[in-house]
Amino acid sequence: MDRKNVAWILMLLPVVGLGVVETTEPLTDLENIAGKLVFYQMEGNATYVRDTELASDVPTEIMFELFDPQKNFSTAKFSYTWDLGNGEVIQGTEPVVRYHYTQSGNYTLRLNIGVNVTKHSPAITDVYSTDVQVLDAIKNIELKGPTDYEVSQNTSLAFHVDGSPPMWVCWRFLANCVPDVTVSCTLTMLYANTLRLNHTFTSAGVHCLDISIRNDVSKMQTSFSLYVRRNNNTHLIFILSCAAILVATFSFITVIACRPRHHNRSQIGTSSNAIFLKNQDAERQSAIILNFSPLERGEKQPLLLQHGTQYCS
Ligand SMILES: *[C@@H]1O[C@H](CO)[C@@H](O)[C@H](O)[C@H]1NC(C)=O
Ligand SMILES: *[C@@H]1O[C@H](CO)[C@@H](O)[C@H](O)[C@H]1NC(C)=O
Ligand SMILES: *[C@@H]1O[C@H](CO)[C@@H](O)[C@H](O)[C@H]1NC(C)=O
Ligand SMILES: *[C@@H]1O[C@H](CO)[C@@H](O)[C@H](O)[C@H]1NC(C)=O
Ligand SMILES: *[C@@H]1O[C@H](CO)[C@@H](O)[C@H](O)[C@H]1NC(C)=O
Ligand SMILES: *[C@@H]1O[C@H](CO)[C@@H](O)[C@H](O)[C@H]1NC(C)=O
């Protein structure tokens, strides 16, 4: 949109003195050919006026706009030689050349103009030259990794962006993909084709990442939705807690079993009955409540696998 407006403004301004290149001496008799080079690029149905930055692989017209209010050249014959700076030379009698650069880079464009005002007068020649910078438009933003996201973990997301740097990037995360006008985007400059964003997700669920990237010739906006899991550490805590409980139970059994016995010597030992309750409500950590109840022999089945008997000597 910006480009389009600029384009219209440029088109509406008088031709005089606008971005005239290199040879801009005042007009003296018929020695100079006054004018300027103008670049147009077509994208879809839109036509953009470019300064000296062009997008690669986009239909382009380079036009020489003659400044001749007194119509001194109205009957003259013109010849144009376009040296595009990449080895291509195109000759013609029209003040326009249709050509597009396929490779990004810096080129020096030189235009030789020859005019035969009358059949007998010597030809007038002039040279216009300008540096053009050809940039690749941004056409794709690809998430390279990681593929897996967890709550409260520093995540560095890597993207491949296929336009010519430098690029301006603005990005924001939206929890649950809920549009939020209070969340503004974070602006960063990108000087390469890899973008790294660092983020710590604060809640589980689906998050949206909006990215808008532009360079001097193009703009692209996209959104990624990322599924964020609960932190794996809860599992680790659970495993560790279980291990701790097993150790505790085992010691408990040992203590019980090793108590001095007063009764029947034929009694093999004592077993214990423990019930584990895992409190799942807590989001980050899982509290584990361990209930021991005295085993009444013959009344209940032991709940734990490793209930056991132990001899002491
Ligand atoms: C055009 O011709 C007139 C005289 O006929 C002259 O004064 C003027 O400078 C010329 N313009 C150019 C651009 O040479
Ligand atoms: C371009 O114009 C044609 C007809 O004039 C229309 O069918 C097409 O949708 C337009 N494309 C865009 C991108 O506006
Ligand atoms: C201009 O005249 C020269 C000879 O003086 C001729 O070689 C050349 O082809 C002419 N150019 C045009 C555009 O007529
Ligand atoms: C082209 O020129 C600009 C400055 O005009 C410079 O910043 C850029 O690096 C150059 N690009 C290449 C590919 O040399
Ligand atoms: C995550 O980033 C914060 C600040 O950005 C830092 O304080 C913290 O140590 C980092 N944690 C890890 C595990 O890298
Ligand atoms: C993210 O962190 C990496 C290093 O871990 C750093 O190179 C990069 O610039 C950071 N990205 C942003 C947008 O801060």
Side-chain angles (χ1 to χ4, degrees), residues 1-207:
M1 273 300 159
D2 298 340
R3 283 269 162 198
K4 216 169 176 179
N5 291 339
V6 169
W8 278 111
I9 291 162
L10 284 175
M11 280 166 137
L12 294 172
L13 282 172
V15 182
V16 199
L18 231 190
V20 179
V21 274
E22 229 171 80
T23 48
T24 52
E25 294 117 61
L27 309 172
T28 55
D29 271 26
L30 293 178
E31 286 181 3
N32 288 96
I33 304 155
K36 66 186 178 88
L37 287 170
V38 189
F39 298 88
Y40 297 96
Q41 290 205 299
M42 287 62 127
E43 284 179 56
N45 294 346
T47 299
Y48 299 88
V49 176
R50 306 285 197 195
D51 296 332
T52 52
E53 282 171 332
L54 301 176
S56 61
D57 273 328
V58 169
T60 306
E61 280 186 3
I62 308 170
M63 194 173 285
F64 178 73
E65 288 184 352
L66 179 71
F67 179 63
D68 183 27
Q70 285 156 307
K71 310 250 185 278
N72 294 354
F73 293 115
S74 56
T75 57
K77 287 200 182 335
F78 286 81
S79 68
Y80 301 87
T81 306
W82 309 84
D83 180 342
L84 295 152
N86 59 353
E88 291 266 349
V89 177
I90 299 172
Q91 278 189 303
T93 54
E94 293 296 315
V96 62
V97 66
R98 289 174 188 86
Y99 179 80
H100 64 264
Y101 290 93
T102 52
Q103 295 249 309
S104 57
N106 292 340
Y107 303 95
T108 301
L109 176 102
R110 288 173 69 85
L111 169 62
N112 275 275
I113 308 175
V115 188
N116 291 358
V117 182
T118 62
K119 273 197 177 117
H120 308 292
S121 62
I124 303 166
T125 60
D126 221 331
V127 179
Y128 280 76
S129 112
T130 185
D131 290 330
V132 293
Q133 191 175 1
V134 178
L135 302 170
D136 291 327
I138 303 160
K139 292 182 181 140
N140 191 29
I141 303 170
E142 192 186 346
L143 175 59
K144 303 301 270 185
T147 52
D148 220 59
Y149 311 95
E150 275 180 25
V151 172
S152 60
Q153 205 175 57
N154 285 358
T155 310
S156 182
L157 295 110
F159 297 86
H160 180 79
V161 185
D162 70 349
S164 292
M167 292 181 266
W168 289 261
V169 181
C170 215
W171 53 280
R172 64 171 186 172
F173 284 93
L174 291 175
N176 301 315
C177 296
V178 178
D180 185 350
V181 288
T182 61
V183 180
S184 58
C185 65
T186 308
L187 191 66
T188 50
M189 278 295 280
L190 189 58
Y191 296 98
N193 290 107
T194 301
L195 168 67
R196 283 183 201 286
L197 301 182
N198 306 314
H199 187 66
T200 302
F201 294 100
T202 51
S203 63
V206 176
H207 292 248

Side-chain angles (χ1 to χ4, degrees), residues 234-249:
T234 38
H235 302 151
L236 192 64
I237 289 170
F238 176 68
I239 290 164
L240 289 177
S241 316
C242 278
I245 285 157
L246 294 185
V247 169
T249 311

